Amino acid sequence: MPAHERLTELPGLPTTPGYAHAVTVTGRLAFVSGQVAVDAQGCAVGVDDLAAQTRQALGNLHHVIENLGADWSDVIKFTWFVLDASEVQTIRDVRDEILRPALGELPNPASTLVQVAALFGPDFLVEVEAVVAVPGEASDV
């Protein structure tokens, strides 16, 4: 695993609630485009249901990550774009439901959440992008 250290406790800063302040890595990085709640045909999934949309967006993200030869433990940073930041606990709950089995006791990746006025389609409530530390040699992908 190219992700090495996940800093969650630093002097002068509060302990992070569910994410790392920073993650150190070695090797190649992949910057994965934002994923939304669409199915394989490009149709919106879970309209008006933030939990369902978060699950689908993370599922789509995981599909990309797996095709890089990586997994959740290789994700070093998420950036979340949401229409309503007050719903962050729903996103955290779904994220933990999906990531905890893969990460075990490891802290979650570094994370940023931004409230936006709109996403690229009117049915979308959340978008998530990731930075991934890709295992293997540069010629593997």
Side-chain angles (χ1 to χ4, degrees):
M1 175 175 52
H4 297 288
E5 186 176 12
R6 294 170 187 253
L7 303 174
T8 57
E9 296 182 20
L10 296 170
L13 290 176
T15 301
T16 57
Y19 65 92
H21 284 296
V23 180
T24 61
V25 301
T26 57
R28 296 178 306 134
L29 296 178
F31 296 84
V32 182
S33 294
Q35 301 295 312
V36 294
V38 293
D39 61 18
Q41 291 73 43
C43 297
V45 173
V47 175
D48 297 325
D49 183 342
L50 181 59
Q53 287 204 1
T54 302
R55 269 186 209 90
Q56 183 68 40
L58 283 171
N60 293 345
L61 184 64
H62 194 243
H63 185 71
V64 174
I65 291 167
E66 285 182 316
N67 277 274
L68 292 169
D71 205 348
W72 291 123
S73 60
D74 301 309
V75 173
I76 57 173
K77 185 175 189 303
F78 288 121
T79 303
W80 298 90
F81 303 93
V82 299
L83 295 185
D84 184 358
S86 72
E87 297 291 325
V88 67
Q89 192 57 51
T90 299
I91 292 167
R92 287 177 180 159
D93 291 345
V94 173
R95 175 206 60 199
D96 290 346
E97 163 193 315
I98 292 171
L99 267 64
R100 272 308 103 218
L103 295 181
E105 295 299 316
L106 282 176
N108 286 321
S111 187
T112 298
L113 183 133
V114 180
Q115 181 171 309
V116 296
L119 294 169
F120 89 96
D123 293 329
F124 301 115
L125 305 173
V126 63
E127 183 171 340
V128 59
E129 64 183 29
V131 179
V132 180
V134 181
E137 298 298 318
S139 62
D140 287 350
V141 176

